[in-house]
Amino acid sequence: MSTPVTLQFDRRPSALAYMVRGALPTARSRDLAPAITARWSDHRPDPEQLAAFLRVTGLPSGPALPLLYPHAFGFRLAMVVLTRPEFPVPIWGVLQIRNHLLQHRPIPLDAPLDFETRVVGSRVRDKGVELDLHTEVHIDRSVAWESVLTFYARGRFGEPTTGSPLERSPTDLGDPVAEWTMRDDGHSELGRFTGDYNGIHFWTWYARRFGFRRALYHPPRVLGECVARLPALDGDGPQRLDAWLKGPVFRGASVRLHAAPGTDATTFGLYAEDERPSIVGRLGSPPPGARLLDPVSN
């Protein structure tokens, strides 16, 4: 096992620092679940940044932070972890494949947020490896929100292991409920919010180097535009969003949203210039006390 690494930030982690670090060649750890923990204390939502985030994603304003706010603004800690030399694969070869977000209670607009992100597990697949990052958001030392983000990297990492119980996405995506053309703006703002300055989101020439036809949107932007068009959840209870990122959504794409409302959750699929969905998701109200980590632990 690798030596534990704990990083503490009292202000927003510098994107320049971790992007430069991620670009430098370095020896990689052979530990597929390195003990890396990153903490960011006392983040206070800025009203102007929140308004810009809502404008870019299309999410409505309300008396509490939207479910996707901690995901987008806390993603800098995921970037910190992914660019560490102790992480087993370089960030440029890593793709997000699943997002699982769980909000336990409403988060006030002015609440001071304490983030903690750590690597919690990995699974060897036939052609690569999946790695899970778990983030918690604490308010007054109580968990108010959490996520598990799963990343995939191609390569040979040994014999395949048991897959995640969360890897199977919903199949009933319902009927079309909305069609629109994605606005080709707000990319730099999403970069500032998430700290994700990967060139595939900004330049088509760069995205083509990695096999994409055009530059593509940041996932939180696309998820926000989907959630904004789905039935609203109870703002006072727990909320959960599960998203399977199956393909890119290119800048300026014409998209079609399908949805199948259910008793406790709505399943949905976003089609972006393809016969297969680019995103499959489930948005619902889980029972109080539910946690994310147990189902994805090795």
Side-chain angles (χ1 to χ4, degrees):
M1 295 181 62
S2 59
T3 302
V5 174
T6 300
L7 306 162
Q8 178 67 50
F9 300 90
D10 295 323
R11 62 182 65 184
R12 181 176 299 182
S14 168
L16 178 61
Y18 59 67
M19 294 297 284
V20 169
R21 184 173 62 240
L24 296 175
T26 183
R28 291 286 164 183
S29 168
R30 298 179 62 86
D31 186 352
L32 295 182
I36 308 173
T37 301
R39 299 188 179 102
W40 172 16
S41 301
D42 200 29
H43 167 67
R44 297 177 182 268
D46 178 86
E48 291 186 2
Q49 287 192 342
L50 174 59
F53 177 71
L54 297 178
R55 177 182 59 78
V56 172
T57 59
L59 291 166
S61 60
L65 293 177
L67 173 64
L68 281 160
Y69 179 94
H71 174 50
F73 283 78
F75 195 78
R76 282 177 181 258
L77 283 189
M79 294 292 293
V80 167
V81 172
L82 293 170
T83 53
R84 290 292 303 179
E86 295 85 1
F87 200 73
V89 293
I91 187 173
W92 312 114
V94 169
L95 292 174
Q96 287 188 67
I97 59 171
R98 292 191 294 275
N99 293 172
H100 306 283
L101 318 179
L102 175 57
Q103 183 170 288
H104 297 281
R105 55 189 172 90
I107 300 178
L109 296 175
D110 58 352
L113 309 180
D114 296 328
F115 293 84
E116 178 180 285
T117 297
R118 58 192 178 97
V119 182
V120 294
S122 63
R123 289 165 300 280
V124 177
R125 315 306 289 145
D126 289 337
K127 298 181 180 179
V129 64
E130 295 180 358
L131 304 116
D132 297 323
L133 270 59
H134 181 236
T135 295
E136 290 183 342
V137 173
H138 297 253
I139 301 176
D140 295 329
R141 299 185 179 182
S142 175
V143 178
W145 185 99
E146 62 178 312
S147 71
V148 171
L149 307 185
T150 299
F151 298 86
Y152 176 79
R154 289 185 177 275
R156 299 181 65 87
F157 298 90
E159 291 298 317
T161 57
T162 303
S164 167
L166 293 177
E167 68 182 31
R168 187 180 298 276
S169 60
T171 56
D172 180 11
L173 305 182
D175 299 318
V177 295
E179 294 186 31
W180 71 99
T181 298
M182 296 283 294
R183 292 176 292 111
D184 192 10
D185 64 6
H187 311 294
S188 60
E189 289 174 302
L190 257 295
R192 288 195 297 272
F193 299 154
T194 64
D196 180 0
Y197 288 98
N198 191 327
I200 62 175
H201 301 303
F202 299 98
W203 307 295
T204 290
W205 65 265
Y206 186 88
R208 284 175 177 167
R209 293 178 57 192
F210 294 87
F212 299 109
R213 296 198 305 272
R214 300 197 301 276
L216 49 144
Y217 290 100
H218 290 83
R221 160 77 172 272
V222 185
L223 288 174
E225 296 216 19
C226 292
V227 170
R229 291 169 169 82
L230 296 173
L233 298 176
D234 178 7
D236 295 325
Q239 301 181 1
R240 176 164 176 167
L241 172 63
D242 300 277
W244 290 260
L245 311 180
K246 295 180 175 291
V249 179
F250 297 117
R251 286 169 52 167
S254 296
V255 298
R256 185 177 75 254
L257 181 66
H258 289 228
T263 304
D264 300 317
T266 296
T267 58
F268 63 93
L270 184 76
Y271 294 78
E273 302 175 351
D274 202 331
E275 295 181 357
R276 297 177 299 175
S278 295
I279 294 178
V280 172
R282 182 189 298 112
L283 178 67
S285 301
R291 294 299 301 267
L292 285 177
L293 196 55
D294 290 344
V296 298
S297 296
N298 288 340

